[in-house]
Amino acid sequence: KYLNEKKIDCAYGDIRKHFETKEGRTFLATYCVKDSWLSHKLLKYFNKLAQYYHMANMVSLGLDGVLGGQGAKTYALLYRECKGKYFLPHTGKIAGKYKGADMDSIPGLYTTPTVALDFANLYPSVIIAFNMCYSTISENKTLNEKTVPGTDCHFNQSRKGIFPKLLKRLLQQRKAVKKQMKGASGVERSNLDAKQTAIKLICNASYGFFSGFKICNTKLAGAVTAAGRYYRQFAQDYLENKYGRQVYHHTDSVYINLKEDISIDECHALGDKMASEVTKEIGEEVIILEYEETIYPMLIGKSGQVAGVHREPGRQGKRKIKGFKATRLDTIPIEAKLQKNIVDLILDGKSTEIESLFKKEYERIRSGNVAFSEITRRRKLGKDLEEYVSQNDSAVQVALQMKKQGDNPKKGDIVEFIVTEGQGAKYKRTVGVNT
């Protein structure tokens, strides 16, 4: 998809067989070399090594630490900030719950433009705005404290919190790097982009830090997400009152379906105006709503299922689909292709052709004119085999069949199988493609 290259085709179950001959071992060596080469090319394409390098420099961790969990990286940053100056606690994981971000949608096909807006660095921004930190949280409200709306969580404003001060400096650094990018090109620009991306990833992971294994305070973690929900709801209420109806939202974004059909260029201008108005109404310097794109037309299914033509300023419209079964690894190809074709017909205003498409595909399947590859399901093992409490699962059954044949399937491996016709549970009717 990204490199216009393909892996060498080799079924998992054939690897053992190839080892038995000289030609087979030569084939496997070539297979492995190309796999490594493609991995290297993808790292280069996405500039991941440069991102890891900058992240490692920021948090003073080696590559293993950088590729690990976000909590360790954030804690390492705090350690650098506190060293020789402040107390840095280590609580370990503490039992407790808090309400996280939310998502909602109104299913339907929207044939007038939908304007998508999102908050820039929402969680880092609310942490800075309220001075949220383990060093500033207070049990009782006083005159010099700020309370997160809808909570009883108060934060002292007489001194800068350690965590908000750190995040503010990182966001300022990212802004400076992005400014440098405007005058750069080639390798220099690519390197600067990797640096600002590394900073962004560190900052955006901050919202869950206070519910992790380093410094756990669910009241503080809940205050962060509560503030995020408050400002997202504020934006929704303001925009619905003036411009249209919110049809979809998640975490830090609002999608407003406009009352009237206007041109895409007018949508871009209106989107900037909407974002500017909400930012001004909020009145917090660091909390900024931004216009992202216009989606037109837009199809919304269940929560998280969205398809449409995404139109960003200065760019050609691009059709995207997410959340539907067609995008999932474990959806059989024949089903994924059919759903995608149906979505395309709906977006193109050709819903009347769906019945015909169904009948044509049904007849093809009934006639047996279907390749095995079209009905092969692929699933990734989420655990090592011995960790599964129940084996009543198709993927686990196939993995057990593979193990009997001398293979060693493990966590992360992808198994391929077909569910055959018959009665009873599906896992009892599962046949591995290479077993």
Side-chain angles (χ1 to χ4, degrees):
K1 179 180 177 181
Y2 299 105
L3 305 176
N4 292 320
E5 289 278 356
K6 287 184 178 180
K7 286 165 56 93
I8 296 172
D9 190 26
C10 178
Y12 189 95
D14 291 340
I15 293 176
R16 189 177 182 84
K17 182 175 66 179
H18 285 305
F19 263 117
E20 296 172 359
T21 66
K22 181 180 179 181
E23 293 78 11
R25 290 191 292 273
T26 301
F27 169 79
L28 287 176
T30 307
Y31 171 85
C32 292
V33 167
K34 184 161 188 184
D35 250 19
S36 301
W37 179 78
L38 286 172
S39 298
H40 174 74
K41 294 284 283 184
L42 284 169
L43 283 170
K44 188 175 180 181
Y45 181 89
F46 290 108
N47 210 17
K48 285 295 181 183
L49 288 178
Q51 282 180 32
Y52 300 150
Y53 167 80
H54 288 296
M55 200 175 285
N57 275 344
M58 273 194 293
V59 302
S60 299
L61 291 176
L63 187 59
D64 285 350
V66 166
L67 295 177
Q70 290 292 348
K73 293 193 278 286
T74 307
Y75 196 74
L77 266 173
L78 274 171
Y79 178 81
R80 288 183 65 174
E81 187 75 13
C82 293
K83 189 176 180 181
K85 297 182 290 184
Y86 309 113
F87 172 68
L88 179 62
H90 188 290
T91 65
K93 186 69 174 178
I94 299 173
K97 293 182 178 180
Y98 68 96
K99 186 177 179 182
D102 54 5
M103 177 188 291
D104 195 19
S105 59
I106 303 175
L109 175 64
Y110 297 93
T111 54
T112 56
T114 299
V115 174
L117 308 102
D118 67 359
F119 286 95
N121 308 298
L122 179 61
Y123 288 130
S125 296
V126 298
I127 290 171
I128 294 167
F130 286 90
N131 202 31
M132 295 182 184
C133 186
Y134 63 87
S135 65
T136 59
I137 191 168
S138 174
E139 291 298 323
N140 301 304
K141 177 82 166 82
T142 66
L143 289 175
N144 200 29
E145 290 183 344
K146 203 169 181 178
T147 303
V148 176
T151 76
D152 61 350
C153 217
H154 322 292
F155 295 94
N156 191 298
Q157 303 297 305
S158 62
R159 63 181 181 276
K160 290 291 183 183
I162 300 165
F163 198 46
K165 185 164 62 174
L166 170 63
L167 288 175
K168 188 172 184 179
R169 187 171 70 247
L170 287 173
L171 291 176
Q172 288 171 342
Q173 287 176 4
R174 183 176 181 232
K175 189 175 181 179
V177 173
K178 291 182 79 172
K179 188 176 181 180
Q180 284 180 270
M181 284 176 62
K182 293 179 180 179
S185 59
V187 175
E188 182 189 6
R189 191 180 193 284
S190 180
N191 188 45
L192 289 169
D193 186 43
K195 186 174 182 178
Q196 70 87 16
T197 302
I199 298 171
K200 176 185 176 182
L201 292 172
I202 288 287
C203 289
N204 286 348
S206 61
Y207 79 95
F209 177 67
F210 292 116
S211 62
F213 289 86
K214 302 293 184 181
I215 303 176
C216 189
N217 184 324
T218 51
K219 186 173 183 180
L220 176 51
V224 175
T225 54
R229 291 194 305 274
Y230 171 79
Y231 286 115
R232 192 213 55 74
Q233 187 64 49
F234 181 95
Q236 175 185 338
D237 293 343
Y238 180 90
L239 295 171
E240 283 193 319
N241 188 49
K242 291 189 69 174
Y243 296 106
R245 179 174 63 154
Q246 177 176 274
V247 292
Y248 178 69
H249 81 253
H250 65 84
T251 313
D252 59 354
S253 301
V254 289
Y255 291 70
I256 303 295
N257 182 247
L258 301 180
K259 297 175 181 177
E260 55 188 52
D261 193 357
I262 58 176
S263 73
I264 297 302
D265 286 340
E266 288 175 313
C267 287
H268 294 329
L270 181 60
D272 287 333
K273 181 173 181 284
M274 292 161 72
S276 178
E277 286 180 9
V278 172
T279 299
K280 186 177 179 181
E281 285 294 317
I282 288 173
E284 291 280 359
E285 183 184 356
V286 294
I287 299 178
I288 301 168
L289 186 67
E290 296 177 331
Y291 167 63
E292 185 178 354
E293 62 184 353
T294 292
I295 306 173
Y296 171 65
M298 184 177 188
L299 174 66
I300 301 176
K302 295 177 182 178
S303 186
Q305 295 179 328
V306 180
V309 181
H310 295 241
R311 306 170 191 271
E312 297 178 34
R315 294 188 180 184
Q316 193 73 21
K318 187 175 182 180
R319 187 163 296 194
K320 296 180 185 178
I321 176 172
K322 70 174 185 178
F324 286 92
K325 289 188 72 175
T327 62
R328 290 175 48 173
L329 172 70
D330 62 349
T331 302
I332 58 173
I334 196 169
E335 181 184 4
K337 184 179 179 181
L338 179 60
Q339 187 181 65
K340 186 179 181 301
N341 287 340
I342 290 171
V343 168
D344 285 341
L345 286 175
I346 293 171
L347 292 176
D348 292 337
K350 299 177 180 178
S351 299
T352 54
E353 297 180 22
I354 292 175
E355 185 178 350
S356 173
L357 174 66
F358 257 118
K359 286 180 179 178
K360 185 177 178 181
E361 193 67 355
Y362 175 76
E363 291 301 326
R364 183 174 78 89
I365 295 169
R366 289 282 294 174
S367 69
N369 186 24
V370 178
F372 274 120
S373 59
E374 292 184 89
I375 55 173
T376 298
R377 194 177 297 276
R378 304 175 79 236
R379 286 262 303 280
K380 181 184 287 188
L381 293 174
K383 310 173 187 175
D384 288 324
L385 279 180
E386 57 272 15
E387 294 178 12
Y388 281 96
V389 177
S390 171
Q391 296 180 350
N392 299 344
D393 177 88
S394 295
V396 175
Q397 285 297 312
V398 173
L400 289 170
Q401 293 169 24
M402 293 165 66
K403 192 169 185 177
K404 286 179 182 178
Q405 294 179 347
D407 292 317
N408 185 32
K410 56 187 182 301
K411 179 181 177 180
D413 284 347
I414 293 174
V415 296
E416 298 182 335
F417 57 90
I418 292 172
V419 179
T420 59
E421 189 178 20
Q423 300 296 317
K426 286 184 180 179
Y427 75 90
K428 293 181 179 179
R429 297 182 279 116
T430 297
V431 179
V433 173
N434 300 298
T435 57

